[in-house]
Amino acid sequence: MGIEVFWYKKNKKTINFLHSDTIDELSLQVENCTKCSLHNGRTQTVFGDGLLQSNILIIGEAPGRDEDKQGKPFVGRAGKLLTEILKSINIQRSDVYITNTVKCRPPDNRNPSKEEVDACSNYLESQIEIIKPHLIILLGKVAADRLLNLDLPMSELRQKTYYYKANKIPVVVFYHPAYLLRSPSEKSKVWDDLNYMKNVFTKNVG
Ligand code: URA
C-alpha cells in the first residue's frame, strides 16, 4: 500500500551542494534578467519553487498577478486548484518542482510570445538540466505550443507522450488549471490525464 501511495518518489535523485549552488546562481541571473521587454512590468521574477530532487517537473505558462506579487509560481486560484489536483493522487505540492515558460508576468496576463519564451528558454533548460526530472508535465496549450513547437488543440496534445530534447525525458500535457476554473465541466477529464501520467511515469521509471 505504501509503495503505491509514493510511486512518484521511486528512484529519486540526490541533489548535491553543487547543484543547489548552481540553482541559486541561476535564480540570481533570472532576477537581473533584461533579455526581453517583460522585465519592464515585473514586480519581481518568479523563478520556480519546490523540491530540487523531485522526479516530476511541472511547467506552467507565465506568472500572473499573485505570482508577480509573491515571487512564487501558482500561488493564486489556479495554483490552489493545481495543489488539489496533485493531492487527489497523493502527491504533495512540496514533492514536485514547479516553474513557468517565462519568469516574468506578461502585461494584463496575456500569453507570452514565442520570442519571450525563447528569450527565457536558457533558464528553463538549465533548470531541467539541474533537476533532471523523470517526467515533465506541461500545463495548457501555450506551454505545449511553445515548448514542443506544436500548434495542436488540447484534445490532440493530451494523453500523448513527447520527449524533451536529447535527454529523452517523457513530457505529458495537462489542461491548465486556469482553464479548468473557467470550464468546470472539463474537470473530470483531469483523472484521465493523471492516470495517463502515472502510467508514463511507471513505464519509464519502473
Ligand atoms: N498560471 C501559470 O501558468 N503560472 C503561474 O505561475 C500561475 C498561473
Side-chain angles (χ1 to χ4, degrees):
M1 200 47 191
I3 290 168
E4 171 64 11
V5 168
F6 295 115
W7 55 271
Y8 64 96
K9 292 189 180 178
K10 262 190 178 177
N11 297 339
K12 207 151 114 182
K13 304 151 305 315
T14 48
I15 298 281
N16 57 31
F17 286 118
L18 189 65
H19 282 106
S20 71
D21 278 356
T22 317
I23 207 100
D24 288 348
E25 234 168 68
L26 190 65
S27 169
L28 199 61
Q29 280 177 35
V30 168
E31 261 174 52
N32 292 305
C33 182
T34 55
K35 282 203 234 169
C36 80
S37 63
L38 292 185
H39 79 275
N40 289 318
R42 75 183 175 218
T43 307
Q44 58 192 311
T45 52
V46 180
F47 179 72
D49 187 39
L51 186 69
L52 288 178
Q53 297 94 323
S54 177
N55 283 335
I56 298 177
L57 172 65
I58 299 179
I59 305 175
E61 189 181 309
R65 195 187 48 182
D66 296 316
E67 290 76 23
D68 174 72
K69 252 195 213 156
Q70 295 186 41
K72 286 197 173 162
F74 284 97
V75 289
R77 282 181 70 222
K80 290 200 172 68
L81 180 57
L82 177 62
T83 304
E84 290 306 310
I85 290 170
L86 294 172
K87 251 198 213 156
S88 74
I89 54 164
N90 288 310
I91 298 181
Q92 298 305 312
R93 190 184 154 117
S94 53
D95 275 328
V96 297
Y97 195 88
I98 306 178
T99 188
N100 284 299
T101 63
V102 293
K103 313 305 190 210
C104 298
R105 180 192 182 198
D108 302 320
N109 293 349
R110 67 159 167 76
N111 294 341
S113 68
K114 177 87 185 121
E115 291 68 32
E116 288 157 353
V117 173
D118 286 349
C120 223
S121 66
N122 281 353
Y123 301 131
L124 183 61
E125 279 166 24
S126 300
Q127 285 175 306
I128 295 172
E129 191 47 45
I130 293 166
I131 296 166
K132 292 194 182 12
H134 289 315
L135 181 102
I136 296 175
I137 300 172
L138 300 181
L139 296 177
K141 181 173 156 51
V142 174
D145 278 357
R146 307 282 191 267
L147 299 178
L148 300 174
N149 263 321
L150 295 171
D151 185 11
L152 295 172
M154 275 305 286
S155 55
E156 289 180 41
L157 288 165
R158 293 171 55 238
Q159 312 266 314
K160 294 211 173 86
T161 310
Y162 306 89
Y163 290 91
Y164 173 76
K165 295 199 170 168
N167 308 31
K168 296 270 184 279
I169 302 168
V171 177
V172 296
V173 182
F174 278 19
Y175 280 121
H176 194 290
Y179 167 77
L180 296 171
L181 287 172
R182 293 192 301 272
S183 316
S185 61
E186 300 282 55
K187 273 190 192 166
S188 59
K189 293 189 185 158
V190 171
W191 272 113
D192 301 330
D193 290 351
L194 289 168
N195 280 325
Y196 182 80
M197 181 269 286
K198 190 174 166 185
N199 284 336
V200 173
F201 184 93
T202 309
K203 226 196 278 167
N204 283 275
V205 181

